[in-house]
Amino acid sequence: MTKIKMCGLSRIQDIEAANTLKPDYIGFVFAAKSKRRVSQLEATKLKSRLNPDIKAVGVFLDDDLDMVAAMMNLGIVDVVQLHGTEDEEYLKKLRTITDKPVIKAFIINSADDVKRAEQSTADYILLDGGKGSGKAFDWSLLKEIKRPYFLAGGLNPKNAAEAVASLKPFAVDVSTGIETDGVKDAEKMKAFVAAVRKGETQ
C-alpha cells in the first residue's frame, strides 16, 4: 500500500483532519522562508494533538545541525526531512546526534539527478519538482529507478491516482495540492487519500 505524507500542516484543524484520514506521515515545515513555517512551540502544540500512529516529519532547509537534532530529540518530530543542499557529511554528523530516520529531498531535472538521489545514504529519498513549487517534474525520468522513493511535486486529487498506478512509489507527498487559498482544505485532503487508494487498484 502506498504511504501518504501530507506536508505543511500548521493549524489544529489540519491535525484534526489528518487524524480522521490517517495518512502515514504529516509534515511540519521549519524552513525560515516557507509560508507554511511553524515555530517549535506551534509544532509542539500540534504534535500533542496528533494521532500517535501518524509520524510527524520535520522539514528543514540547510539548518544548523544542533537545531535539527533538538527538534528530534525533544520528540517534536519522528522523522527529519532535509530539503536543502545538505551533503553526505551533514548526514553523517546528523546520525551521530540522533537515531531518527532521515529523508533527503532531491530536485529532479534530469536522469543524473535521479542517479544522485539513488546513491544517498539517507533512509529515504524524496523526489521533487522544486522547493514547494507545486509543480510536477517529468515522471518518465523515474522509469529506471531501483530504489523506493517518496514522490512529491505537483501532486493533487486529480493526478494522484495516475501517479500511484503508473509509478508505484513507496509514498506520495502532497502540500499545495490539498490547499485552498494557501491553507489546508479538509475536503481536498479527503479527496487526495481517495485518489491514492484508487490508484492502487488500477
Side-chain angles (χ1 to χ4, degrees):
M1 186 178 284
T2 305
K3 296 187 181 299
I4 296 173
K5 175 171 171 266
M6 294 182 170
C7 201
L9 275 58
S10 60
R11 306 174 303 161
I12 291 297
Q13 53 263 53
D14 301 342
I15 298 295
E16 290 171 346
N19 287 342
T20 299
L21 296 168
K22 294 183 173 60
D24 302 273
Y25 306 91
I26 61 95
F28 295 137
V29 178
F30 296 107
K33 294 180 180 178
S34 173
K35 62 185 179 183
R36 301 179 186 90
R37 182 183 181 276
V38 292
S39 67
Q40 179 177 325
L41 181 60
E42 289 168 329
T44 302
K45 289 178 180 176
L46 294 170
K47 177 68 186 296
S48 73
R49 301 284 289 271
L50 183 68
N51 182 323
D53 291 336
I54 302 171
K55 300 287 187 191
V57 178
V59 180
F60 301 93
L61 183 66
D62 296 319
D63 282 300
D64 179 76
L65 267 169
D66 290 335
M67 190 271 268
V68 176
M71 294 287 198
M72 300 177 79
N73 296 334
L74 286 169
I76 299 170
V77 296
D78 306 302
V79 182
V80 65
Q81 179 177 319
L82 304 175
H83 221 292
T85 59
E86 302 91 355
D87 57 13
E88 287 294 318
E89 188 64 27
Y90 186 103
L91 270 169
K92 187 191 296 184
K93 289 177 181 175
L94 182 60
R95 291 193 191 285
T96 67
I97 47 182
T98 181
D99 60 356
K100 298 284 177 69
V102 178
I103 303 169
K104 179 68 183 90
F106 292 86
I107 294 174
I108 303 301
N109 293 309
S110 68
D112 285 342
D113 293 332
V114 177
K115 288 177 184 173
R116 189 164 54 88
E118 284 194 286
Q119 292 166 358
S120 172
T121 60
D123 299 282
Y124 303 100
I125 55 172
L126 181 147
L127 310 181
D128 201 354
K131 293 185 178 73
S133 67
K135 295 178 181 177
F137 60 92
D138 181 1
W139 292 344
S140 70
L141 293 170
L142 305 181
K143 61 180 181 291
E144 302 295 332
I145 195 166
K146 303 290 193 295
R147 180 174 176 175
Y149 59 91
F150 282 69
L151 178 68
L155 292 175
N156 57 60
K158 294 180 180 177
N159 65 7
E162 177 196 351
V164 170
S166 62
L167 300 173
K168 297 180 171 46
F170 168 75
V172 287
D173 185 337
V174 65
S175 185
T176 307
I178 50 171
E179 292 180 347
T180 299
D181 298 328
V183 295
K184 294 296 180 278
D185 182 320
E187 288 303 312
K188 287 184 179 178
M189 293 168 75
K190 181 179 178 181
F192 185 82
V193 172
V196 172
R197 298 301 170 230
K198 180 182 177 184
E200 291 171 339
T201 66
Q202 293 178 352

